[in-house]
């Protein structure tokens, strides 16, 4: 296995295939770098070097006790990027990974990042508060915490239904995708998953979006039941050089269920 050991001693697992301009993939909660398999194959075949890591406490990375927050996630990425000496890189993040990407770009990405892509991302902030009145109520995240912390095996078995929009009329559950989601989730640390809920729901990424100096593509499904679609236009409006593409009917997990469309639009953007 390919791993690096970051400053606090946590081992971060990554896969690194091919040569060419690097694309770094940042997965969503509570998954792993394996969630990008379709994109990794597609972009490697297009001549890119593709890298996907497992966030600390997720997948094959170390189950650290601490550091389950966006700042540390981004710092871990910075150490990986420096170790691999990635330059002119494209960073692509899904859901929580989108928050990780924009924090990395804002804080560490100078002279190393060419472009970024935020897919179904938690940017600019998810939780409902006085500055974000149309956000998601705290009670929703408390329910996710309860299910994750105390009935994780069954909760993660059920969670993909809304994640992939299989509860909509005419949609059929893809059992292989469902079981793969569960497999990825159960590989990780319950502590990391539990504490990561606060990270993806309460981190305000407004200033990170404003400070990004590279072109950023924002992709979001209009039928996203996990991160509401209205997040996407807000995020795009904060970017200096942002582009928004929205998809009627697409779910939160659209990089998997709608990979052909998503991959084509990302390729057009990065070319």
């Amino acid at each position: 296995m390919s791993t690096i050991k970051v400053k606090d001693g946590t081992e971060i697992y990554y896969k690194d295939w091919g040569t060419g301009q690097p694309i770094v993939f940042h997965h969503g909660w509570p998954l792993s770098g394996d969630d990008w398999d379709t994109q990794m194959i597609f972009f490697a075949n297009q001549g890119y070097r593709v890298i996907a890591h497992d966030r600390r406490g997720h997948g094959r990375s170390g189950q650290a006790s601490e550091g389950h927050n966006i700042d540390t996630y981004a710092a871990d990425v910075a150490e990986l990027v420096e170790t691999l000496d990635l330059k002119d890189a494209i960073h692509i993040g899904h859901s929580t990974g989108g928050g990780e990407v924009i924090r990395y770009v804002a804080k560490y990405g100078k002279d190393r990042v060419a472009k970024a892509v935020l897919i179904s991302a938690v940017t600019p902030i998810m939780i409902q508060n006085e500055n974000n009145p149309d956000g998601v109520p705290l009670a929703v995240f408390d329910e996710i915490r309860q299910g994750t912390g105390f009935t994780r095996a069954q909760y993660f078995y059920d969670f993909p239904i809304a994640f992939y929009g299989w509860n909509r009329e005419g949609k059929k559950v893809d059992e292989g995708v469902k079981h793969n989601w569960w497999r990825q989730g159960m590989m990780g640390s319950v502590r990391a998953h539990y504490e990561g809920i606060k990270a993806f729901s309460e981190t305000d990424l407004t200033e990170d979006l404003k400070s990004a100096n590279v072109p950023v593509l924002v992709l979001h499904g209009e039928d996203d039941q996990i991160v509401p679609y209205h997040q996407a236009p807000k995020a795009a409006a904060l970017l200096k050089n942002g582009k928004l593409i929205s998809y009627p009917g697409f779910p939160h997990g659209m990089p998997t269920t709608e990979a052909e469309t998503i991959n084509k639009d990302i390729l057009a953007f990065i070319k």
Side-chain angles (χ1 to χ4, degrees):
M1 286 182 21
S2 299
T3 63
I4 64 162
K5 189 171 283 189
V6 296
K7 289 173 184 173
D8 71 354
T10 302
E11 286 196 339
I12 302 296
Y13 168 85
Y14 68 95
K15 41 194 172 181
D16 180 1
W17 307 340
T19 58
Q21 185 178 15
I23 303 178
V24 184
F25 294 94
H26 306 242
H27 65 80
W29 176 97
L31 303 173
S32 74
D34 291 350
D35 200 43
W36 291 110
D37 282 354
T38 304
Q39 282 72 34
M40 296 272 285
I41 291 289
F42 176 82
F43 286 100
N45 287 345
Q46 294 289 331
Y48 292 91
R49 178 183 177 185
V50 292
I51 299 108
H53 67 291
D54 294 355
R55 189 171 299 120
R56 63 170 51 222
H58 295 63
R60 291 142 292 204
S61 287
Q63 296 201 5
S65 176
E66 308 298 334
H68 307 298
N69 55 73
I70 296 291
D71 273 339
T72 308
Y73 298 163
D76 290 346
V77 171
E79 290 198 56
L80 176 63
V81 166
E82 288 171 16
T83 300
L84 299 180
D85 194 25
L86 304 179
K87 295 173 181 173
D88 194 34
I90 297 139
H91 286 261
I92 301 176
H94 177 245
S95 196
T96 302
E100 179 179 282
V101 164
I102 206 66
R103 177 60 52 90
Y104 167 77
V105 169
K107 195 167 183 180
Y108 303 101
K110 187 180 179 187
D111 301 327
R112 287 194 178 270
V113 178
K115 293 181 179 180
V117 182
L118 309 180
I119 307 174
S120 313
V122 298
T123 51
I125 184 171
M126 282 194 71
I127 200 162
Q128 183 183 69
N129 59 30
E130 60 182 17
N131 296 320
N132 190 38
D134 58 351
V136 179
L138 176 62
V140 172
F141 300 114
D142 284 342
E143 184 271 332
I144 298 172
R145 261 183 281 270
Q146 178 67 26
T148 298
F150 303 101
T151 59
R152 183 170 68 145
Q154 185 62 50
Y155 190 73
F156 280 10
Y157 191 73
D158 296 333
F159 201 88
I161 300 298
F163 193 95
Y164 293 113
W166 293 326
N167 52 356
R168 299 308 197 202
E169 186 176 354
K171 298 293 184 181
K172 182 181 177 183
V173 174
D174 184 323
E175 293 292 342
V177 169
K178 180 180 180 182
H179 290 139
N180 190 41
W181 197 101
W182 185 88
R183 174 192 69 84
Q184 291 178 71
M186 295 304 293
M187 284 173 69
S189 157
V190 68
R191 181 183 177 98
H193 294 161
Y194 184 88
E195 294 189 359
I197 296 162
K198 182 179 178 71
F200 75 65
S201 63
E202 297 185 33
T203 305
D204 191 339
L205 296 153
T206 300
E207 295 306 315
D208 304 84
L209 290 161
K210 287 180 180 178
S211 70
N213 287 317
V214 297
V216 181
L217 177 64
V218 178
L219 306 179
H220 216 105
E222 293 179 15
D223 194 34
D224 191 325
Q225 298 174 62
I226 308 299
V227 179
Y229 169 73
H230 64 72
Q231 299 268 126
K234 286 183 183 179
L238 291 165
L239 292 161
K240 294 173 187 171
N241 187 359
K243 178 182 179 182
L244 170 64
I245 301 177
S246 59
Y247 303 95
F250 281 21
H252 186 68
M254 64 186 187
T256 296
T257 61
E258 306 293 344
E260 185 176 352
T261 298
I262 300 304
N263 293 352
K264 175 175 62 71
D265 287 343
I266 294 172
L267 183 63
F269 172 71
I270 63 179
K271 276 190 168 182

